[in-house]
Amino acid sequence: MTNLLITSCGGLTSYNLIYLIKKKTKFKNLRIHITDKKKNVKAKLFSDSFTSLPDTKNKNYFKSIMKIVNNKQIKVIIPGSDEEAEFFSKKKKYFSKKNI
């Protein structure tokens, strides 16, 4: 089982991405966990779990992400916004050491 975390899933593009990953992929052992700042996100329909997180600039963002990563045993993270892509690129070495 591979656990996948997709961040910032509030938009239509994320909804379509999660739908395609969940319903159309040949990999059936995927569990998709999503996050967003908003609580009412349509992508929740196709995900296995949802967590509302603060903005990447919030001092608790990293701690919140790590709680999800550890609790859900995440192996792949797909950032859903430019800000998150920048955040994760700055933390690339940290996540690489953890095989994420």
Side-chain angles (χ1 to χ4, degrees), residues 36-75:
D36 197 83
K37 292 186 280 188
K38 300 178 227 161
K39 293 185 181 183
N40 188 15
V41 177
K42 287 184 180 182
K44 286 196 266 187
L45 296 171
F46 299 110
S47 68
D48 294 294
S49 72
F50 170 78
T51 305
S52 181
L53 291 180
D55 189 78
T56 56
K57 292 175 179 59
N58 186 302
K59 65 180 181 175
N60 294 321
Y61 183 77
F62 181 71
K63 183 178 173 182
S64 299
I65 285 291
M66 289 313 300
K67 185 175 181 181
I68 296 168
V69 166
N70 292 327
N71 289 343
K72 304 289 185 182
Q73 300 172 336
I74 300 295
K75 293 295 175 196

Side-chain angles (χ1 to χ4, degrees), residues 10-25:
L12 183 60
T13 304
S14 296
Y15 176 82
N16 290 334
L17 172 66
I18 293 165
Y19 172 78
L20 292 171
I21 291 172
K22 193 70 173 181
K23 300 293 183 184
K24 303 292 183 177
T25 185

